[in-house]
Each structure stands twice: as C-alpha cells, then as structure tokens.
C-alpha cells in the first residue's frame, strides 16, 4: 500500500494530482496528459499507455511512485479516451495511435534534457541521450509492443503489464471480414459496445469494482473501425513480445479473466531463455487483471522499479 493512499479507495484526491496538460498532434488533435516530475532530474522518462476502457487516472499510484524513484512519468489519455472527448472511441487508422506515441517520446526527450540543463555542464548535456521506457498496461500493452517492434531505436526498454496481446475475447473470422469491409465506409464510424468490460473481470477489489462501474471517464463504446485497427495491431504486437529488440519487463496476472496469461507467457518464454537482453517475467499468481487494484501492487512496484533502475541507471555527468 502506498503512503497516503488506501487500496479500499481507488479514486484519488483531486488535489494530489498534477493538472492535465495538452499536446497538439500532427493532425491537429489536442491530447491531454498528466506529468509526474521527479524530485531530482535523472535523465529518464517513462511513458504509460492505459487500457482500452481506462485512462491515466486509474494508474496514479504507480505514476506517483515511479516519479518518487527518480523517473519523469508521462501518462497520456489516448485520443478519444479519458478527458479527450473529441471523436470518442474512434481512430481513423492504426498508424495514428503509433504516430501519437512518437510525439510523446519526442516530448519526453525534450523534458528530460531540459530538466538537466540548470544542474549539468552544457558539454555533458550536448552528448546526453535520454532513457525512454514505454510502458503499456492491458490494451496499452498491445500498442506498446507494436510500437517497439517497429521503432525499437526510439526506446531504451519496454514494460508490458498484463498486455492485451492475447485477449480472451476476440472477433471471429466472419466478424473480422465484416470489420474489414465496413471500416472504410460510413458504417465504420458506428459505435458498438466494447465486450468484456464487467468490473469483476478487472479486479476482485469491491471498492475498485464500484469505481470502475461509476467512472464517467471510462470508454465503453468504440467505432467499428477502431475494432478493425485493433485487429491490425495484433501481428505487430506479437512480434514485439516474441522477438523484442529492447529489454522487456513482462507482468502477468494468474487470475486474469481478460488476458490469456499462459498464452502470453508462452510467446515470451523462448525469448526469455535465448536472449542476452535483461528481460524479466513476473507472475502474480493470485492477482486479477488490473494489478493496480490488487493486493500485490506494492510488490509489483518494487520489482518493476528494481528492474527499471538496473536496465536504465540514472544519468551521471561523469559517464
């Protein structure tokens, strides 16, 4: 349990949260994000991608903790999700999600470099390369793995936290054909209920279930073309998990009703044994899907932070 926060009360006190900030994407869409700054700049940034229904505030405990451990933490709300109300539950193309991640990475680089300038000699800053970790939770893990498979050179490491790469609910073959057909028509913008969003699937924490059920920012519908672009990300995400080119921290929940944890582990297992990269797999046997709300959350934070600090040590001007 984190200091000052009760696991029986998943909703944060608004006064304890950083105010939303905005970033304009290349297509003109204005995206909101929250930023947790470390007490001392260390040249490291972690970008946290939330799940299909959730938004950045679900994970404020983790963000706050990592920032206290010396990380600049950026938690954007995905376009059409959270406090981004324009084009709710929609995206024109899967590439748009990936381009947005590149924009967040560029911003994180600027912020980490800028924070060092007052305390580090100019010569050291000029040669400095920020360490960027892309972390994806649930459906955000699908995005993170897909991005890492395409542009690993933009990242130092990747955290896949109960990632939505092998979901238990997927469209069947006929449904995929129909999605492919309608996604480029006017029908593609029709909203449909996202399946499998019952609160009890996410956590066994009763207070957290009530929070999820009454969360006014949660996304509960998405367009047909959103579902098609979700399907398109699948092969890229599997490539990012089974053949990663950067160190990966994979966290899986043993009682997950949303993700097939065993299938996910099988995809990663060969890479874990053959690679010389410092990968790590942590299995939380008693946890439901959203580890953020589970009793093992403190253990998860400790293990993930130990891995982060080992793979991406803090910047030293003498190095």
């Amino acid at each position: 349990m984190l200091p000052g926060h009760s696991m029986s009360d998943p909703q944060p006190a608004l006064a304890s949260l950083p105010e939303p900030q905005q970033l304009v994407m290349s297509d003109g869409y204005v995206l909101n994000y929250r930023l947790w700054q470390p007490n001392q700049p260390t040249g490291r940034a972690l970008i946290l991608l939330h799940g299909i229904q959730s938004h950045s505030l679900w994970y404020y405990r983790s963000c706050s903790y990592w920032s206290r451990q010396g990380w600049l933490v950026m938690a954007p709300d995905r376009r059409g999700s959270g406090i981004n109300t324009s084009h709710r539950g929609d995206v024109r193309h899967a590439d748009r999600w990936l381009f947005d991640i590149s924009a967040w990475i560029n911003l994180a680089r600027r912020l980490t470099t800028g924070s060092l300038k007052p305390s580090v000699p100019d010569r050291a800053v000029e040669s400095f390369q920020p360490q960027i970790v892309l972390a994806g939770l649930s459906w955000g893990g699908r995005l993170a793995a897909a991005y890492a498979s395409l542009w690993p050179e933009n990242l130092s490491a990747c955290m896949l936290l109960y990632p939505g790469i092998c979901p238990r609910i997927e469209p069947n073959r006929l449904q995929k054909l129909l999605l492919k057909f309608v996604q480029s028509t006017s029908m593609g913008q029709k909203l449909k209920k996202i399946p499998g969003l019952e609160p009890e699937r996410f956590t066994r924490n009763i207070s957290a279930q009530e929070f999820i059920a009454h969360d006014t920012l949660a996304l509960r519908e998405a367009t047909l073309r959103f579902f098609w672009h979700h399907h398109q990300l699948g092969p890229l995400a599997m490539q990012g998990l089974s053949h990663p080119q950067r160190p990966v921290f994979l966290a899986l929940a043993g009682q997950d009703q949303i993700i097939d944890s065993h299938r996910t582990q099988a995809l990663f297992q060969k890479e874990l044994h053959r690679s010389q990269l410092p990968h790590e797999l942590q299995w939380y046997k008693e946890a439901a899907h959203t580890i953020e709300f589970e009793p093992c959350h403190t253990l998860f934070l400790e293990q993930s932070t130990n891995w982060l600090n080992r793979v991406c040590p803090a910047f030293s001007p003498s190095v």
Side-chain angles (χ1 to χ4, degrees), residues 3-232:
H5 302 304
S6 170
M7 277 307 298
S8 64
D9 181 16
Q11 192 157 12
L14 293 179
S16 68
L17 294 171
E19 286 293 320
Q21 301 184 49
Q22 290 76 41
L23 182 66
V24 181
M25 298 292 112
S26 59
D27 64 346
Y29 193 102
V30 179
L31 282 174
N32 285 271
Y33 68 99
R34 295 183 189 271
L35 188 68
W36 282 260
Q37 295 272 12
N39 292 328
Q40 295 292 331
T42 62
R44 305 176 298 177
L46 188 152
I47 301 167
L48 191 70
L49 307 179
H50 63 78
I52 192 169
Q53 179 188 23
S54 62
H55 48 83
S56 59
L57 290 186
W58 281 34
Y59 311 105
Y60 79 100
R61 294 183 186 84
S62 294
C63 295
S64 178
Y65 181 89
W66 285 321
S67 72
R68 293 197 300 273
Q69 306 308 308
W71 287 81
L72 181 147
V73 181
M74 184 182 299
D77 281 359
R78 188 181 63 247
R79 59 174 57 221
S81 298
I83 56 178
N84 298 317
T85 57
S86 178
H87 300 285
R88 194 81 174 156
D90 188 31
V91 69
R92 290 192 174 189
H93 198 279
D95 285 350
R96 191 63 259 171
W97 286 321
L98 302 174
F99 295 157
D100 289 351
I101 294 174
S102 288
W104 296 122
I105 290 172
N106 290 336
L107 176 60
R109 285 198 181 113
R110 294 197 300 271
L111 291 173
T112 50
T113 303
S115 66
L116 288 173
K117 286 184 177 179
S119 56
V120 176
D122 290 342
R123 187 172 300 176
V125 173
E126 288 174 5
S127 60
F128 165 70
Q129 290 295 325
Q131 301 204 67
I132 306 294
V133 175
L134 185 61
L137 306 111
S138 191
W139 193 86
R142 190 181 185 93
L143 274 181
Y147 186 92
S149 71
L150 288 172
W151 297 296
E153 66 275 9
N154 292 343
L155 304 172
S156 303
C158 194
M159 296 176 69
L160 302 178
L161 312 176
Y162 38 101
I165 298 172
C166 302
R168 294 188 181 276
I169 300 176
E170 279 278 73
N172 59 37
R173 186 175 180 181
L174 177 59
Q175 289 171 329
K176 290 174 183 175
L177 288 172
L178 289 172
L179 287 174
K180 183 178 181 180
F181 174 75
V182 304
Q183 57 91 20
S184 60
T185 71
S186 58
M187 281 287 291
Q189 298 180 57
K190 183 178 180 181
L191 288 166
K192 296 290 288 186
K193 182 180 177 181
I194 302 171
L197 296 186
E198 296 82 6
E200 58 271 19
R201 287 178 177 267
F202 289 86
T203 179
R204 289 173 293 185
N205 180 326
I206 300 301
S207 296
Q209 289 179 11
E210 294 176 355
F211 165 71
I212 293 170
H214 298 97
D215 182 8
T216 57
L217 296 179
L219 185 69
R220 308 187 196 281
E221 293 183 321
T223 61
L224 293 175
R225 63 183 180 183
F226 180 109
F227 290 115
W228 169 247
H229 299 320
H230 153 88
H231 168 64
Q232 283 188 306

